[in-house]
Amino acid sequence: MLRIDAHQHFWKFDPVRDSWINEEMKQIQRDFLPGDLAPVLQRNRIDGCVAVQSDQSLKENDFHLRLAADNHFIKGIVGWVDLQSDNIEEQLQELSRFKKIKGFRHVLQAEPDPDFMLRSAFIRGIRHLRQFNFTYDILIYPKHLGYAKQLVADFPDQRFVIDHLAKPLIKSQVITGWKEEMEAIALHKNVSCKISGMVTEADWKRWQKEDFNIYLDTVFEAFGSKRIMFGSDWPVCLVAASYEKMMEIVTDYTANLSTNEQADFWGGNAIEIYNLI
């Protein structure tokens, strides 16, 4: 079974477009391209990856498609499309020609309106994803989980993936509210969760492995072994940990899983959910 990093990013750094990469994140204020990631994956015995959008433009899809054409280890792309567009069905049909594009994501966490995902125009776009076999990645904070639960309930046949455990407040070790909402959304079998992005929600300088256990316990118990997958969130993770240190957290945590469960977590589930290879 291939080992897959189900969540990482590439970009050519633009200080205006990428203003979310602030001065606290100076170490990632530069280009990150496949040539930077390939040796990292090789060192960590990762066979392939899913490249996820960071810029909300159609140019982002073209950028990732060019990279994937030249780098076979990029097994899939989670791109961007304006789901509220009047001609969304036509756009999705056009994008479905590109087999490496597996789904889409919108930066919902940055929208001022917390129930943005329930807007009628946005929902109309979600409605068209399944006919082209596209997934949808949900990028949110804990405060959005109630709205996300309504969204996934309205589309039981659509595959959804929660990015970064919905960004719990790991630095503050807050679990109340997030735990109950994650358990509730996990009851919907069309929803999976990426074990990714944890170190950036922790204390960047002083986190300990134990800080993540209560969050991992919740997600592993709620979603089960078939609906969780590993993602590095490279290079964003570098603000808080090296790729190796970030992997060490989840490697140690999953050490007691069965051989089959480990194979699913480290690649099998991503291959199934994103229809990779």
Side-chain angles (χ1 to χ4, degrees), residues 19 27 47 89 263:
S19 59
Q27 58 266 60
D47 302 298
E89 187 173 9

Side-chain angles (χ1 to χ4, degrees), residues 105-120:
R105 186 178 81 156
H106 184 83
V107 185
L108 290 170
Q109 67 177 29
E111 291 292 344
D113 185 355
D115 64 353
F116 182 92
M117 70 190 83
L118 299 182
R119 289 182 177 182
S120 58

Side-chain angles (χ1 to χ4, degrees), residues 12-271:
K12 290 188 174 179
F13 180 67
D14 180 323
V16 176
R17 182 197 64 192
D18 303 321
S19 59
W20 62 274
I21 305 175
N22 58 34
E23 286 302 300
E24 288 183 293
M25 308 167 83
K26 285 186 85 164
Q27 58 266 60
I28 62 170
Q29 288 181 335
R30 64 176 181 85
D31 297 352
F32 285 92
L33 296 168
D36 302 300
L37 181 59
V40 177
L41 297 184
Q42 188 171 15
R43 282 198 308 271
N44 290 279
R45 298 184 301 111
I46 301 294
D47 302 298
C49 65
V50 176
V52 180
Q53 66 82 222
S54 55
D55 178 40
Q56 301 198 127
S57 74
L58 292 173
K59 291 179 181 178
E60 185 83 337
N61 302 328
D62 297 333
F63 171 67
H64 282 100
L65 284 166
R66 288 194 300 272
L67 297 182
D70 294 332
N71 297 275
H72 182 65
F73 68 85
I74 303 173
K75 304 297 185 184
I77 297 164
V78 174
W80 184 86
V81 68
D82 182 3
L83 291 172
Q84 300 182 96
S85 175
D86 290 338
N87 70 335
I88 184 60
E89 187 173 9
E90 290 81 0
Q91 289 191 52
L92 293 174
Q93 186 166 22
E94 171 64 17
L95 289 165
S96 71
R97 296 192 304 110
F98 303 101
K99 299 309 178 187
K100 284 289 179 79
I101 297 183
K102 305 300 182 179
F104 299 97
R105 186 178 81 156
H106 184 83
V107 185
L108 290 170
Q109 67 177 29
E111 291 292 344
D113 185 355
D115 64 353
F116 182 92
M117 70 190 83
L118 299 182
R119 289 182 177 182
S120 58
F122 192 85
I123 286 173
R124 187 182 69 245
I126 293 287
R127 186 174 292 118
H128 288 295
L129 293 176
R130 183 172 177 267
Q131 72 188 89
F132 301 106
N133 199 30
F134 286 130
T135 59
Y136 185 74
D137 271 44
I138 303 175
L139 177 62
I140 52 173
Y141 293 123
K143 68 180 182 180
H144 299 106
L145 276 166
Y147 304 114
K149 182 174 64 176
Q150 184 175 333
L151 177 68
V152 304
D154 287 345
F155 296 94
D157 296 322
Q158 170 63 43
R159 284 172 293 131
F160 292 95
V161 180
I162 296 176
D163 289 349
H164 311 328
L165 291 74
K167 297 196 167 185
L169 301 174
I170 298 173
K171 183 176 182 180
S172 305
Q173 288 289 283
V174 173
I175 193 168
T176 303
W178 170 85
K179 180 178 188 293
E180 292 76 13
E181 292 282 15
M182 287 294 278
E183 290 170 342
I185 201 168
L187 294 175
H188 299 275
K189 301 303 183 185
N190 57 325
V191 185
S192 302
C193 185
K194 287 181 187 171
I195 308 302
S196 61
M198 295 188 301
V199 292
T200 53
E201 301 309 312
D203 187 321
W204 294 359
K205 303 296 185 185
R206 290 181 290 275
W207 62 262
Q208 302 292 322
K209 283 184 192 176
E210 298 74 25
D211 296 342
F212 307 102
N213 288 343
I214 55 174
Y215 303 98
L216 290 168
D217 288 346
T218 296
V219 171
F220 274 71
E221 290 170 15
F223 287 88
S225 63
K226 290 290 188 180
R227 291 188 290 139
I228 49 174
M229 56 186 135
F230 165 71
S232 67
D233 199 26
W234 180 95
V236 183
C237 68
L238 299 178
V239 302
S242 67
Y243 198 103
E244 287 75 14
K245 286 291 185 184
M246 175 274 310
M247 271 200 70
E248 194 176 298
I249 297 166
V250 285
T251 299
D252 288 356
Y253 185 86
T254 58
N256 293 325
L257 297 180
S258 70
T259 300
N260 287 340
E261 288 172 334
Q262 289 199 39
D264 286 340
F265 173 73
W266 289 105
N269 293 338
I271 290 169

